């Protein structure tokens, strides 16, 4: 899945592909860590919101 764009991964994740969702999180891990300020609860909350956003986004 490394050669797919975030858009393609988002479409796959929205259809239920868990590997695509994990790949999106993996690609954005540094950004998530930056804005979680080393707080594990906030890190998990941001990931939850990303996954909710993917489900609700109109591709």
């Amino acid at each position: 899945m490394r050669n797919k764009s975030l858009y393609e991964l988002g479409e796959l994740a929205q259809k239920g592909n868990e590997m695509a969702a994990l790949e999106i999180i993996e690609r954005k891990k540094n950004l998530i860590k930056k804005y979680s300020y080393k707080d594990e609860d906030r890190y998990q909350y941001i990931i939850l919101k990303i996954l909710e956003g993917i489900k609700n986004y109109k591709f």
Side-chain angles (χ1 to χ4, degrees):
M1 295 222 177
R2 272 305 213 191
N3 54 357
K4 294 194 181 284
S5 69
L6 283 175
Y7 182 83
E8 293 170 328
L9 289 171
E11 286 181 328
L12 291 172
Q14 195 172 48
K15 293 176 184 172
N17 187 335
E18 292 179 8
M19 292 303 291
L22 289 173
E23 181 66 29
I24 292 170
I25 292 168
E26 183 66 32
R27 286 189 187 183
K28 297 298 178 182
K29 187 187 320 184
N30 291 335
L31 187 66
I32 296 168
K33 283 185 179 183
K34 177 181 176 183
Y35 287 104
S36 66
Y37 304 108
K38 302 192 186 223
D39 181 11
E40 185 64 30
D41 290 335
R42 191 175 300 188
Y43 181 79
Q44 294 296 324
Y45 180 77
I46 292 170
I47 290 174
L48 176 69
K49 288 300 177 182
I50 289 172
L51 294 175
E52 286 178 0
I54 289 170
K55 286 183 181 178
N56 296 329
Y57 188 77
K58 305 282 189 241
F59 286 98

